[in-house]
Amino acid sequence: MIVLDITVMNVALPRIHTDLHFSTTGLSWVMNAYSLVFGGLLLLGGRAGDLFGRRTLFIVGITLFTLASLVGGLAPTAPWLIGARIAQGIGGAMAGPSTLALLTTIFTEPKQRIRVLALFSGMSSAGFAIGLIIGGLLTEWFGWRSALFINVPFGAAAAVLALRYLPGSVRQPARLDLPGAFTATAGIATLVYGFIHAAADGWGNTTTVLTLAIGAALLATFLTIEFRTAQPLLPLRLFADRTRAAAYANMFLGPMAGMSMFFFLTQYLQEVRAMSALATGFAFLPTAALMFVMVRLIPRLLPRLGPKPLTITGTVLMGTGLALLALLRTDTGYFPMLFVATVLLGCGLGLAFSPLNVIIMSTVPAQDAGAAGGALQTLQQTGSALGLAVLVTIFGTAARATTGSPEQVLVGGITAAFTAAVCIVVLTFLVALTFPGKTARTG
């Protein structure tokens, strides 16, 4: 549900843009309002699960997420929708870390745990596949509001079934690091707002400079708090293992480049190529389907090859796909270039990042499961949000410098954003080079 909600909204963005009168740069807040709150509160959600019980946090979070989806589907104005997306982010932050922590602590046998964590990755990829197609179908046939309403029956069923079948979890002594949660969430939100503001008003604008400086200061304060707190939201011991630390780094960098593809390519297909929402959803099918196929292969490939060849191959494929998208023109057809790019991105995203869940969670002690799951999903979501903000900034700057028809201006901004995404993939590749080859711990 959590991943599906991201991709469903991607396909619906042009309709939301028109119906609720969002600005071009402000439209990204439909995505960022959810990602920022979700990412910023995941660490707090993981620690709260340790304190109040992971089963309880899971059920409460799913219920809030479901109710917020209903409210968002009824939104008459842009602020109303943004508020509902914020509430969805809070609910997701309560349920998300508890999901990973419950799986990690219930399934303790190593081989079984790896299989379960790989299945978790597979369900996330299934969310992408289902979200892109269902989002297109719902938006085309019933309007963009149905993309939010679809969460209600599934969320209600998940909450009821969790009450009946999920085992209770032992509460562990923990203290909620509220100063850390506040500074992390506020710092990330302020930074992203600064990037969005730069896209509209330029880097020299006083508000842009001020918000970026405040965001950086808040994040520095957060790190200081974490160093000095006895029970931090982000335990530094999670990063003591070199392989796990590298996996965390790629869990942050990968979505910065990869997830932006859905945002910008959706705009290109619908605004430049005049494709319907349904056709746009099916245009992403090669990416989504191949991500799911790759994830199904990870439990077999990871013990045999180790994380290094998988992540290196994946990042190369992803970078090649993004490089092709950086060559888009106003008359570029879906076949062959866009099709090849979506195939490369599907294989690349699946190979590069699916092993990371297993690498990070398979060796985490039970008492750190909530914090480790929260940190994993925090880096993933904040990387996605910050990456989109940076690339929207580059998009806005390049679009202002492009002359010609509205389609040419849009393509000029989109290709600049994809070029920057390729640069981020290069950083991801360099981190992947630090992974070990075949190791006993991944088997």
Side-chain angles (χ1 to χ4, degrees):
M1 286 179 60
I2 290 172
V3 175
L4 183 147
D5 207 63
I6 297 173
T7 53
V8 161
M9 298 306 289
N10 256 300
V11 177
L13 285 176
R15 301 289 182 89
I16 297 172
H17 185 189
T18 301
D19 289 354
L20 299 185
H21 309 293
F22 276 94
S23 66
T24 301
T25 53
L27 185 63
S28 65
W29 281 100
V30 176
M31 310 299 297
N32 282 337
Y34 175 77
S35 297
L36 280 174
V37 176
F38 181 40
L41 294 179
L42 275 167
L43 295 174
L44 181 61
R47 184 61 72 186
D50 294 336
L51 180 61
F52 301 113
R54 293 160 186 165
R55 177 178 179 270
T56 301
L57 261 289
F58 176 85
I59 294 170
V60 173
I62 286 294
T63 301
L64 176 59
F65 185 93
T66 302
L67 292 175
S69 299
L70 177 62
V71 171
L74 299 172
T77 63
W80 183 309
L81 178 60
I82 296 299
R85 294 288 282 169
I86 290 172
Q88 280 186 310
I90 296 172
M94 297 172 72
S98 296
T99 304
L100 269 174
L102 285 166
L103 292 175
T104 303
T105 54
I106 291 172
F107 299 94
T108 56
E109 196 274 323
K111 290 184 179 179
Q112 191 180 43
R113 178 184 286 181
I114 288 177
R115 190 177 300 113
V116 167
L117 291 174
L119 181 59
F120 174 86
S121 296
M123 292 306 296
S124 297
S125 296
F128 275 101
I130 295 170
L132 292 166
I133 303 304
I134 295 297
L137 289 170
L138 292 175
T139 303
E140 186 74 18
W141 293 346
F142 304 107
W144 64 265
R145 297 177 187 277
S146 62
L148 288 165
F149 290 143
I150 193 65
N151 287 328
V152 177
F154 290 104
V160 171
L161 293 173
L163 282 169
R164 181 171 181 179
Y165 292 110
L166 269 185
S169 55
V170 178
R171 300 183 182 184
Q172 301 181 14
R175 182 178 64 85
L176 294 182
D177 181 14
L178 294 179
F182 172 78
T183 51
T185 304
I188 294 169
T190 305
L191 272 182
V192 172
Y193 178 79
F195 285 124
I196 296 295
H197 200 274
D201 298 292
W203 291 96
N205 181 272
T206 302
T207 302
T208 299
V209 175
L210 185 62
T211 51
L212 290 175
I214 292 174
L218 285 169
L219 289 182
T221 303
F222 167 71
L223 292 176
T224 302
I225 291 171
E226 300 309 282
F227 272 110
R228 298 179 178 178
T229 302
Q231 293 182 330
L233 289 179
L234 190 63
L236 298 180
R237 60 181 175 271
L238 293 175
F239 301 92
D241 181 271
R242 182 175 66 87
T243 302
R244 187 185 298 124
Y248 271 129
N250 267 5
M251 189 60 77
F252 177 78
L253 290 171
M256 286 186 70
M259 294 304 102
S260 63
M261 180 270 293
F262 296 102
F263 180 82
F264 290 108
L265 195 52
T266 296
Q267 307 304 305
Y268 175 81
L269 292 174
Q270 296 196 26
E271 300 293 337
V272 178
R273 302 301 301 168
M275 292 176 64
S276 66
L278 179 60
T280 300
F282 278 101
F284 286 115
L285 182 59
T287 297
L290 285 168
M291 282 179 66
F292 183 71
V293 171
M294 292 299 106
V295 166
R296 296 293 294 174
L297 295 176
I298 292 302
R300 299 178 182 177
L301 296 177
L302 190 59
R304 296 179 183 178
L305 303 176
K308 188 172 185 174
L310 295 181
T311 52
I312 287 177
T313 302
T315 51
V316 169
L317 292 174
M318 183 174 68
T320 305
L322 289 171
L324 285 176
L325 294 179
L327 302 176
L328 288 175
R329 300 184 305 180
T330 55
D331 59 348
T332 301
Y334 185 74
F335 292 100
M337 195 172 86
L338 282 175
F339 176 75
V340 172
T342 56
V343 168
L344 290 172
L345 284 162
C347 294
L349 289 168
L351 284 175
F353 307 115
S354 295
L356 301 182
N357 282 321
V358 178
I359 294 170
I360 291 171
M361 297 299 297
S362 61
T363 59
V364 170
Q367 66 270 21
D368 290 334
L376 184 155
Q377 293 179 328
T378 295
L379 290 170
Q380 183 180 22
Q381 293 301 318
T382 54
S384 178
L386 285 173
L388 181 58
V390 170
L391 295 177
V392 165
T393 302
I394 294 170
F395 163 83
T397 303
R400 287 195 300 271
T402 304
T403 58
S405 66
E407 290 79 13
Q408 290 172 324
V409 170
L410 186 62
V411 170
I414 288 173
T415 53
F418 281 132
T419 301
V422 173
C423 296
I424 298 173
V425 173
V426 172
L427 295 177
T428 308
F429 176 80
L430 295 176
V431 174
L433 290 177
T434 68
F435 279 108
K438 182 178 179 180
T439 62
R441 32 180 325 211
T442 57

